[in-house]
Amino acid sequence: VQSEGLSASKAERVVDESVDRLVWYAGWADKITQVVGGANPVAGPFFNLTTPEATGVVAVLAPERSSLLGLVTAIAPVVVTGNTAVVVSSYSRPLAAVTLAEVLATSDVPGGVVNVLTGSAATLGPWLASHMDVNALDLLGTAGQTDLARDLEVAAADNLKRVRRAPAAEPDFTREPGLDTMTDFLELKTVWHPMGV
């Protein structure tokens, strides 16, 4: 209610949708490998297996307007696929992110998996984009800020980061997410093994 200026009933619906979204993503934790990876048919005496692996540390610029549902929708796919998230909260509405960080600190999420920073994407984004220990960058929170998004993409290119580009406008987070939100920060490793040797 305080963060987004919603009525009590709408705020309750956002919290319910956020919990449902977390449960939906959690259900993929033991399934994404089977859906994305698998045995590949090859013409030769080999086994060919593809397995997804986490990219590593993903910097997430959280949405500005949707401070809870948008935040959960940005963090959950990163974490459920085995990555670590460094999240820059909504600058104008940080309360939900700070509260979620407190919840995660006392839950079953291991320490250091989700790290929440408060501040502006314009200030923290360049540091994260150019940091050598950050492996990927989600520009969701720069929706509509084309100059900032472009500058961050250029900074990320200097050290070969994987980048999820900024949408033209903040998306409707009430829509059901797809698999691409999880696969954007996975790397596919393929192994060839001789057969019958």
Side-chain angles (χ1 to χ4, degrees), residues 93-169:
R93 301 170 177 178
L95 184 60
V98 173
T99 305
L100 181 62
E102 290 177 13
V103 169
L104 294 175
T106 58
S107 70
D108 290 338
V109 177
V113 171
V114 178
N115 306 277
V116 177
L117 303 172
T118 56
S120 74
T123 302
L124 297 171
W127 288 99
L128 292 168
S130 62
H131 198 291
M132 294 300 288
D133 290 328
V134 173
N135 306 103
L137 184 62
D138 185 351
L139 298 176
L140 181 61
T142 62
Q145 302 176 49
T146 53
D147 290 341
L148 175 60
R150 184 191 64 244
D151 292 346
L152 294 176
E153 283 186 46
V154 169
D158 282 342
N159 52 31
L160 303 176
K161 278 186 191 13
R162 183 176 292 245
V163 176
R164 181 187 295 158
R165 302 184 96 177

Side-chain angles (χ1 to χ4, degrees), residues 39-191:
N40 307 311
V42 294
F46 300 98
F47 289 117
N48 183 273
L49 305 170
T50 299
T51 306
E53 289 185 3
T55 297
V57 177
V58 179
V60 177
L61 304 180
E64 189 61 31
R65 289 191 346 248
S66 182
S67 65
L68 180 59
L69 183 56
L71 175 70
V72 165
T73 302
I75 294 173
V78 171
V79 174
V80 78
T81 53
N83 295 294
T84 297
V86 177
V87 185
V88 177
S89 71
S90 166
Y91 182 68
S92 61
R93 301 170 177 178
L95 184 60
V98 173
T99 305
L100 181 62
E102 290 177 13
V103 169
L104 294 175
T106 58
S107 70
D108 290 338
V109 177
V113 171
V114 178
N115 306 277
V116 177
L117 303 172
T118 56
S120 74
T123 302
L124 297 171
W127 288 99
L128 292 168
S130 62
H131 198 291
M132 294 300 288
D133 290 328
V134 173
N135 306 103
L137 184 62
D138 185 351
L139 298 176
L140 181 61
T142 62
Q145 302 176 49
T146 53
D147 290 341
L148 175 60
R150 184 191 64 244
D151 292 346
L152 294 176
E153 283 186 46
V154 169
D158 282 342
N159 52 31
L160 303 176
K161 278 186 191 13
R162 183 176 292 245
V163 176
R164 181 187 295 158
R165 302 184 96 177
E170 196 166 296
D172 177 8
F173 292 107
T174 60
R175 293 181 53 212
E176 198 167 308
L179 290 182
D180 61 331
T181 58
M182 290 180 281
T183 58
D184 283 347
F185 298 117
L186 285 176
E187 296 178 7
L188 297 176
K189 306 291 182 173
T190 301
V191 176

